[in-house]
Short mmCIF file of all heavy atoms in Angstrom, two decimals:
data_model
loop_
_atom_site.label_atom_id
_atom_site.label_comp_id
_atom_site.label_asym_id
_atom_site.label_seq_id
_atom_site.Cartn_x
_atom_site.Cartn_y
_atom_site.Cartn_z
N MET A 25 8.77 6.85 12.59
CA MET A 25 8.76 5.66 11.80
C MET A 25 7.42 4.95 11.81
O MET A 25 7.21 4.03 11.06
CB MET A 25 9.84 4.69 12.30
CG MET A 25 11.26 5.11 11.91
SD MET A 25 11.57 5.05 10.14
CE MET A 25 11.11 6.66 9.61
N GLY A 26 6.54 5.40 12.69
CA GLY A 26 5.21 4.81 12.72
C GLY A 26 4.46 5.04 11.42
O GLY A 26 3.67 4.20 10.99
N PHE A 27 4.72 6.18 10.78
CA PHE A 27 4.06 6.50 9.51
C PHE A 27 4.45 5.51 8.43
O PHE A 27 3.60 5.06 7.66
CB PHE A 27 4.40 7.93 9.08
CG PHE A 27 3.73 8.34 7.82
CD1 PHE A 27 2.38 8.57 7.78
CD2 PHE A 27 4.47 8.50 6.65
CE1 PHE A 27 1.75 8.94 6.60
CE2 PHE A 27 3.85 8.87 5.48
CZ PHE A 27 2.49 9.10 5.46
N ALA A 28 5.73 5.14 8.38
CA ALA A 28 6.19 4.18 7.37
C ALA A 28 5.55 2.81 7.59
O ALA A 28 5.15 2.14 6.63
CB ALA A 28 7.71 4.07 7.39
N ILE A 29 5.45 2.40 8.84
CA ILE A 29 4.84 1.10 9.15
C ILE A 29 3.36 1.13 8.82
O ILE A 29 2.82 0.18 8.23
CB ILE A 29 5.08 0.74 10.62
CG1 ILE A 29 6.57 0.55 10.87
CG2 ILE A 29 4.30 -0.50 11.02
CD1 ILE A 29 6.96 0.45 12.33
N LEU A 30 2.69 2.22 9.16
CA LEU A 30 1.26 2.35 8.86
C LEU A 30 1.01 2.34 7.35
O LEU A 30 0.10 1.66 6.87
CB LEU A 30 0.72 3.63 9.49
CG LEU A 30 -0.78 3.87 9.36
CD1 LEU A 30 -1.54 2.80 10.12
CD2 LEU A 30 -1.13 5.23 9.89
N CYS A 31 1.82 3.06 6.61
CA CYS A 31 1.69 3.07 5.15
C CYS A 31 1.94 1.69 4.56
O CYS A 31 1.26 1.28 3.61
CB CYS A 31 2.65 4.09 4.53
SG CYS A 31 2.09 5.78 4.64
N ALA A 32 2.91 0.96 5.11
CA ALA A 32 3.19 -0.38 4.61
C ALA A 32 2.01 -1.32 4.85
O ALA A 32 1.66 -2.12 3.97
CB ALA A 32 4.45 -0.92 5.28
N LEU A 33 1.37 -1.21 6.02
CA LEU A 33 0.21 -2.05 6.29
C LEU A 33 -0.96 -1.71 5.36
O LEU A 33 -1.65 -2.61 4.86
CB LEU A 33 -0.22 -1.89 7.75
CG LEU A 33 0.73 -2.49 8.79
CD1 LEU A 33 0.27 -2.14 10.19
CD2 LEU A 33 0.83 -3.99 8.61
N ILE A 34 -1.17 -0.43 5.13
CA ILE A 34 -2.24 -0.01 4.21
C ILE A 34 -1.95 -0.51 2.80
O ILE A 34 -2.85 -0.96 2.09
CB ILE A 34 -2.42 1.51 4.25
CG1 ILE A 34 -2.94 1.95 5.61
CG2 ILE A 34 -3.36 1.99 3.15
CD1 ILE A 34 -2.93 3.44 5.83
N THR A 35 -0.68 -0.47 2.39
CA THR A 35 -0.30 -0.94 1.07
C THR A 35 -0.57 -2.43 0.93
O THR A 35 -1.09 -2.88 -0.11
CB THR A 35 1.19 -0.65 0.81
OG1 THR A 35 1.41 0.75 0.93
CG2 THR A 35 1.61 -1.11 -0.56
N LEU A 36 -0.24 -3.20 1.95
CA LEU A 36 -0.50 -4.64 1.90
C LEU A 36 -2.01 -4.93 1.81
O LEU A 36 -2.44 -5.80 1.03
CB LEU A 36 0.10 -5.33 3.12
CG LEU A 36 1.62 -5.37 3.17
CD1 LEU A 36 2.08 -5.95 4.50
CD2 LEU A 36 2.17 -6.18 2.02
N LEU A 37 -2.80 -4.21 2.60
CA LEU A 37 -4.25 -4.42 2.56
C LEU A 37 -4.84 -4.00 1.21
O LEU A 37 -5.76 -4.65 0.69
CB LEU A 37 -4.92 -3.65 3.69
CG LEU A 37 -4.72 -4.24 5.09
CD1 LEU A 37 -5.30 -3.30 6.14
CD2 LEU A 37 -5.35 -5.61 5.18
N ALA A 38 -4.32 -2.91 0.64
CA ALA A 38 -4.81 -2.47 -0.67
C ALA A 38 -4.43 -3.47 -1.75
O ALA A 38 -5.21 -3.70 -2.69
CB ALA A 38 -4.24 -1.09 -1.00
N GLY A 39 -3.26 -4.06 -1.64
CA GLY A 39 -2.87 -5.11 -2.60
C GLY A 39 -3.78 -6.31 -2.52
O GLY A 39 -4.20 -6.87 -3.54
N TYR A 40 -4.11 -6.72 -1.29
CA TYR A 40 -5.04 -7.84 -1.12
C TYR A 40 -6.43 -7.49 -1.65
O TYR A 40 -7.07 -8.32 -2.31
CB TYR A 40 -5.12 -8.21 0.37
CG TYR A 40 -6.14 -9.28 0.65
CD1 TYR A 40 -5.89 -10.60 0.31
CD2 TYR A 40 -7.37 -8.97 1.21
CE1 TYR A 40 -6.83 -11.59 0.54
CE2 TYR A 40 -8.32 -9.93 1.45
CZ TYR A 40 -8.04 -11.25 1.11
OH TYR A 40 -8.99 -12.22 1.34
N ALA A 41 -6.88 -6.27 -1.40
CA ALA A 41 -8.20 -5.85 -1.88
C ALA A 41 -8.24 -5.80 -3.40
O ALA A 41 -9.24 -6.18 -4.01
CB ALA A 41 -8.54 -4.48 -1.31
N THR A 42 -7.16 -5.35 -4.02
CA THR A 42 -7.11 -5.31 -5.48
C THR A 42 -7.16 -6.71 -6.06
O THR A 42 -7.87 -6.98 -7.03
CB THR A 42 -5.84 -4.58 -5.94
OG1 THR A 42 -5.81 -3.28 -5.36
CG2 THR A 42 -5.79 -4.46 -7.45
N PHE A 43 -6.40 -7.63 -5.45
CA PHE A 43 -6.41 -9.02 -5.93
C PHE A 43 -7.79 -9.64 -5.77
O PHE A 43 -8.27 -10.34 -6.66
CB PHE A 43 -5.36 -9.83 -5.15
CG PHE A 43 -5.30 -11.26 -5.57
CD1 PHE A 43 -4.78 -11.61 -6.80
CD2 PHE A 43 -5.75 -12.25 -4.72
CE1 PHE A 43 -4.73 -12.94 -7.19
CE2 PHE A 43 -5.70 -13.58 -5.10
CZ PHE A 43 -5.18 -13.93 -6.33
N SER A 44 -8.44 -9.37 -4.64
CA SER A 44 -9.79 -9.88 -4.41
C SER A 44 -10.77 -9.29 -5.42
O SER A 44 -11.66 -10.00 -5.92
CB SER A 44 -10.22 -9.55 -2.99
OG SER A 44 -11.54 -9.95 -2.76
N ALA A 45 -10.64 -8.01 -5.72
CA ALA A 45 -11.52 -7.37 -6.70
C ALA A 45 -11.28 -7.94 -8.09
O ALA A 45 -12.22 -8.07 -8.89
CB ALA A 45 -11.31 -5.87 -6.69
N LEU A 46 -10.05 -8.28 -8.41
CA LEU A 46 -9.75 -8.91 -9.70
C LEU A 46 -10.43 -10.27 -9.82
O LEU A 46 -10.96 -10.62 -10.88
CB LEU A 46 -8.24 -9.05 -9.89
CG LEU A 46 -7.49 -7.80 -10.32
CD1 LEU A 46 -5.99 -8.02 -10.20
CD2 LEU A 46 -7.85 -7.43 -11.74
N LYS A 47 -10.38 -11.04 -8.73
CA LYS A 47 -11.03 -12.36 -8.74
C LYS A 47 -12.54 -12.24 -8.92
O LYS A 47 -13.15 -13.06 -9.59
CB LYS A 47 -10.71 -13.13 -7.46
CG LYS A 47 -9.31 -13.63 -7.40
CD LYS A 47 -9.04 -14.63 -6.29
CE LYS A 47 -9.90 -14.51 -5.08
NZ LYS A 47 -9.51 -15.40 -3.99
N ASN A 48 -13.14 -11.20 -8.31
CA ASN A 48 -14.59 -11.01 -8.38
C ASN A 48 -15.03 -10.18 -9.58
O ASN A 48 -16.22 -9.94 -9.74
CB ASN A 48 -15.08 -10.34 -7.09
CG ASN A 48 -14.90 -11.22 -5.89
OD1 ASN A 48 -14.96 -12.43 -5.99
ND2 ASN A 48 -14.65 -10.61 -4.74
N LYS A 49 -14.06 -9.71 -10.38
CA LYS A 49 -14.33 -8.88 -11.56
C LYS A 49 -15.11 -7.61 -11.19
O LYS A 49 -16.04 -7.21 -11.86
CB LYS A 49 -15.08 -9.67 -12.62
CG LYS A 49 -14.30 -10.85 -13.13
CD LYS A 49 -15.08 -11.66 -14.12
CE LYS A 49 -14.27 -12.88 -14.49
NZ LYS A 49 -15.08 -13.91 -15.07
N ASN A 50 -14.68 -6.99 -10.09
CA ASN A 50 -15.29 -5.76 -9.60
C ASN A 50 -14.44 -4.58 -10.09
O ASN A 50 -13.37 -4.30 -9.55
CB ASN A 50 -15.34 -5.80 -8.07
CG ASN A 50 -15.97 -4.57 -7.48
OD1 ASN A 50 -16.36 -3.66 -8.19
ND2 ASN A 50 -16.06 -4.55 -6.15
N ILE A 51 -14.92 -3.89 -11.12
CA ILE A 51 -14.14 -2.84 -11.77
C ILE A 51 -13.85 -1.68 -10.82
O ILE A 51 -12.72 -1.19 -10.74
CB ILE A 51 -14.85 -2.33 -13.05
CG1 ILE A 51 -15.10 -3.48 -14.03
CG2 ILE A 51 -14.07 -1.23 -13.70
CD1 ILE A 51 -13.83 -4.15 -14.51
N LEU A 52 -14.86 -1.22 -10.09
CA LEU A 52 -14.66 -0.10 -9.18
C LEU A 52 -13.69 -0.46 -8.05
O LEU A 52 -12.85 0.36 -7.66
CB LEU A 52 -16.01 0.35 -8.60
CG LEU A 52 -16.05 1.69 -7.90
CD1 LEU A 52 -15.63 2.80 -8.85
CD2 LEU A 52 -17.44 1.95 -7.36
N GLY A 53 -13.76 -1.68 -7.57
CA GLY A 53 -12.82 -2.14 -6.55
C GLY A 53 -11.40 -2.21 -7.08
O GLY A 53 -10.45 -1.90 -6.37
N ILE A 54 -11.26 -2.63 -8.34
CA ILE A 54 -9.93 -2.67 -8.96
C ILE A 54 -9.35 -1.28 -9.08
O ILE A 54 -8.18 -1.04 -8.77
CB ILE A 54 -10.00 -3.35 -10.34
CG1 ILE A 54 -10.39 -4.82 -10.19
CG2 ILE A 54 -8.68 -3.22 -11.08
CD1 ILE A 54 -10.75 -5.49 -11.50
N VAL A 55 -10.18 -0.32 -9.50
CA VAL A 55 -9.71 1.06 -9.68
C VAL A 55 -9.28 1.67 -8.35
O VAL A 55 -8.17 2.19 -8.22
CB VAL A 55 -10.80 1.92 -10.36
CG1 VAL A 55 -10.44 3.39 -10.33
CG2 VAL A 55 -11.04 1.45 -11.78
N PHE A 56 -10.15 1.60 -7.34
CA PHE A 56 -9.83 2.22 -6.06
C PHE A 56 -8.74 1.45 -5.30
O PHE A 56 -7.85 2.06 -4.70
CB PHE A 56 -11.08 2.36 -5.20
CG PHE A 56 -11.94 3.51 -5.61
CD1 PHE A 56 -13.21 3.29 -6.12
CD2 PHE A 56 -11.49 4.82 -5.49
CE1 PHE A 56 -14.00 4.36 -6.52
CE2 PHE A 56 -12.28 5.88 -5.88
CZ PHE A 56 -13.55 5.64 -6.39
N GLY A 57 -8.81 0.14 -5.33
CA GLY A 57 -7.78 -0.65 -4.66
C GLY A 57 -6.42 -0.49 -5.32
O GLY A 57 -5.40 -0.35 -4.65
N GLY A 58 -6.41 -0.52 -6.65
CA GLY A 58 -5.15 -0.34 -7.37
C GLY A 58 -4.59 1.06 -7.20
O GLY A 58 -3.38 1.24 -7.04
N GLY A 59 -5.46 2.06 -7.21
CA GLY A 59 -5.01 3.43 -6.98
C GLY A 59 -4.42 3.61 -5.60
O GLY A 59 -3.37 4.25 -5.43
N THR A 60 -5.09 3.05 -4.60
CA THR A 60 -4.58 3.12 -3.24
C THR A 60 -3.26 2.39 -3.12
O THR A 60 -2.32 2.88 -2.49
CB THR A 60 -5.60 2.53 -2.25
OG1 THR A 60 -6.83 3.24 -2.38
CG2 THR A 60 -5.10 2.60 -0.82
N PHE A 61 -3.17 1.23 -3.74
CA PHE A 61 -1.92 0.46 -3.71
C PHE A 61 -0.77 1.25 -4.32
O PHE A 61 0.33 1.30 -3.76
CB PHE A 61 -2.12 -0.86 -4.46
CG PHE A 61 -0.91 -1.74 -4.48
CD1 PHE A 61 -0.55 -2.46 -3.36
CD2 PHE A 61 -0.14 -1.84 -5.62
CE1 PHE A 61 0.57 -3.27 -3.38
CE2 PHE A 61 0.98 -2.64 -5.65
CZ PHE A 61 1.34 -3.37 -4.53
N LEU A 62 -1.01 1.89 -5.45
CA LEU A 62 0.05 2.65 -6.11
C LEU A 62 0.44 3.90 -5.33
O LEU A 62 1.63 4.17 -5.12
CB LEU A 62 -0.39 3.03 -7.52
CG LEU A 62 -0.52 1.88 -8.52
CD1 LEU A 62 -1.08 2.38 -9.83
CD2 LEU A 62 0.82 1.20 -8.72
N VAL A 63 -0.54 4.68 -4.90
CA VAL A 63 -0.24 5.95 -4.23
C VAL A 63 0.38 5.73 -2.85
O VAL A 63 1.45 6.28 -2.53
CB VAL A 63 -1.50 6.83 -4.14
CG1 VAL A 63 -1.27 8.04 -3.27
CG2 VAL A 63 -1.95 7.25 -5.52
N ILE A 64 -0.28 4.94 -2.01
CA ILE A 64 0.24 4.72 -0.66
C ILE A 64 1.52 3.89 -0.71
O ILE A 64 2.43 4.09 0.10
CB ILE A 64 -0.82 4.05 0.23
CG1 ILE A 64 -2.10 4.90 0.29
CG2 ILE A 64 -0.29 3.82 1.64
CD1 ILE A 64 -1.92 6.27 0.90
N GLY A 65 1.61 2.98 -1.68
CA GLY A 65 2.86 2.24 -1.87
C GLY A 65 4.02 3.16 -2.21
O GLY A 65 5.14 2.98 -1.72
N TRP A 66 3.75 4.16 -3.05
CA TRP A 66 4.79 5.13 -3.38
C TRP A 66 5.18 5.95 -2.14
O TRP A 66 6.36 6.20 -1.92
CB TRP A 66 4.32 6.04 -4.51
CG TRP A 66 5.36 7.02 -4.93
CD1 TRP A 66 5.35 8.36 -4.70
CD2 TRP A 66 6.56 6.74 -5.63
NE1 TRP A 66 6.47 8.92 -5.24
CE2 TRP A 66 7.24 7.96 -5.80
CE3 TRP A 66 7.13 5.58 -6.13
CZ2 TRP A 66 8.46 8.04 -6.45
CZ3 TRP A 66 8.35 5.66 -6.78
CH2 TRP A 66 8.99 6.87 -6.94
N PHE A 67 4.21 6.35 -1.34
CA PHE A 67 4.51 7.06 -0.09
C PHE A 67 5.38 6.19 0.82
O PHE A 67 6.31 6.69 1.46
CB PHE A 67 3.24 7.43 0.66
CG PHE A 67 2.46 8.57 0.07
CD1 PHE A 67 1.15 8.80 0.47
CD2 PHE A 67 3.00 9.40 -0.88
CE1 PHE A 67 0.42 9.84 -0.06
CE2 PHE A 67 2.28 10.45 -1.42
CZ PHE A 67 0.98 10.68 -1.02
N THR A 68 5.08 4.89 0.87
CA THR A 68 5.85 3.98 1.71
C THR A 68 7.30 3.91 1.25
O THR A 68 8.23 4.03 2.05
CB THR A 68 5.23 2.58 1.70
OG1 THR A 68 3.88 2.66 2.12
CG2 THR A 68 5.99 1.62 2.59
N VAL A 69 7.49 3.71 -0.04
CA VAL A 69 8.85 3.60 -0.58
C VAL A 69 9.63 4.88 -0.35
O VAL A 69 10.78 4.85 0.11
CB VAL A 69 8.79 3.24 -2.08
CG1 VAL A 69 10.15 3.38 -2.74
CG2 VAL A 69 8.24 1.85 -2.29
N MET A 70 9.02 6.02 -0.63
CA MET A 70 9.73 7.28 -0.48
C MET A 70 9.99 7.62 0.99
O MET A 70 11.02 8.21 1.32
CB MET A 70 8.97 8.41 -1.17
CG MET A 70 8.90 8.25 -2.67
SD MET A 70 10.48 7.91 -3.45
CE MET A 70 11.34 9.42 -3.18
N THR A 71 9.08 7.25 1.89
CA THR A 71 9.31 7.48 3.31
C THR A 71 10.47 6.65 3.82
O THR A 71 11.31 7.13 4.58
CB THR A 71 8.04 7.18 4.13
OG1 THR A 71 6.98 8.00 3.66
CG2 THR A 71 8.26 7.43 5.61
N VAL A 72 10.54 5.39 3.40
CA VAL A 72 11.64 4.53 3.82
C VAL A 72 12.95 5.03 3.24
O VAL A 72 13.98 5.06 3.92
CB VAL A 72 11.37 3.06 3.42
CG1 VAL A 72 12.60 2.21 3.58
CG2 VAL A 72 10.23 2.50 4.26
N LEU A 73 12.96 5.46 1.99
CA LEU A 73 14.19 5.97 1.38
C LEU A 73 14.63 7.28 2.03
O LEU A 73 15.83 7.53 2.19
CB LEU A 73 14.00 6.17 -0.12
CG LEU A 73 13.90 4.92 -0.95
CD1 LEU A 73 13.66 5.27 -2.42
CD2 LEU A 73 15.14 4.07 -0.82
N ASN A 74 13.68 8.13 2.40
CA ASN A 74 14.01 9.43 2.98
C ASN A 74 14.40 9.31 4.45
O ASN A 74 15.38 9.93 4.88
CB ASN A 74 12.82 10.38 2.83
CG ASN A 74 13.16 11.80 3.25
OD1 ASN A 74 14.29 12.23 3.13
ND2 ASN A 74 12.18 12.50 3.77
N SER A 75 13.66 8.53 5.23
CA SER A 75 13.89 8.48 6.67
C SER A 75 14.65 7.24 7.11
O SER A 75 15.03 7.12 8.27
CB SER A 75 12.54 8.50 7.40
OG SER A 75 11.84 9.67 7.09
N GLY A 76 14.84 6.29 6.25
CA GLY A 76 15.52 5.05 6.62
C GLY A 76 14.56 4.03 7.18
O GLY A 76 13.37 4.28 7.36
N PHE A 77 15.09 2.87 7.46
CA PHE A 77 14.27 1.78 7.99
C PHE A 77 13.99 2.02 9.46
O PHE A 77 14.79 2.64 10.17
CB PHE A 77 14.99 0.43 7.81
CG PHE A 77 15.09 0.01 6.38
CD1 PHE A 77 16.24 0.20 5.66
CD2 PHE A 77 14.00 -0.57 5.76
CE1 PHE A 77 16.33 -0.19 4.34
CE2 PHE A 77 14.06 -0.97 4.44
CZ PHE A 77 15.24 -0.77 3.73
N PRO A 78 12.85 1.51 9.96
CA PRO A 78 12.56 1.66 11.38
C PRO A 78 13.63 0.95 12.23
O PRO A 78 14.13 -0.11 11.88
CB PRO A 78 11.21 0.97 11.56
CG PRO A 78 10.62 0.95 10.20
CD PRO A 78 11.76 0.90 9.23
N VAL A 79 13.99 1.56 13.34
CA VAL A 79 15.03 1.03 14.21
C VAL A 79 14.40 0.07 15.21
O VAL A 79 13.38 0.38 15.81
CB VAL A 79 15.74 2.18 14.96
CG1 VAL A 79 16.83 1.64 15.86
CG2 VAL A 79 16.30 3.18 13.98
N ALA A 80 14.99 -1.10 15.37
CA ALA A 80 14.50 -2.07 16.36
C ALA A 80 15.32 -1.91 17.65
O ALA A 80 16.54 -2.01 17.65
CB ALA A 80 14.65 -3.48 15.82
N HIS A 81 14.65 -1.63 18.75
CA HIS A 81 15.36 -1.44 20.03
C HIS A 81 15.20 -2.63 20.90
O HIS A 81 14.26 -3.19 21.15
CB HIS A 81 14.80 -0.21 20.76
CG HIS A 81 15.16 1.07 20.09
ND1 HIS A 81 16.31 1.73 20.36
CD2 HIS A 81 14.54 1.78 19.13
CE1 HIS A 81 16.38 2.81 19.62
NE2 HIS A 81 15.29 2.86 18.86
#
């Protein structure tokens, strides 16, 4: 489940980076940040759906 948590953190950071790039009108940052947000976000969603939510002990 560490992979799902790691992917979720990367997705959140990529979302913040994309928003920051939008504010600064940085086209390359928007492309790479948005691409990372979409791809890693999809990995996060599919990992959670496939393996379930992380268990809290």
Side-chain angles (χ1 to χ4, degrees):
M25 285 294 90
F27 182 70
I29 295 169
L30 185 64
C31 281
L33 290 174
I34 293 170
T35 302
L36 291 174
L37 288 173
Y40 175 75
T42 303
F43 180 70
S44 176
L46 281 169
K47 287 192 332 186
N48 294 329
K49 298 177 184 161
N50 181 359
I51 302 299
L52 194 60
I54 294 169
V55 170
F56 282 114
T60 302
F61 181 77
L62 291 175
V63 171
I64 303 297
W66 182 252
F67 286 165
T68 303
V69 169
M70 294 310 293
T71 301
V72 168
L73 289 178
N74 188 30
S75 300
F77 291 100
V79 181
H81 290 272

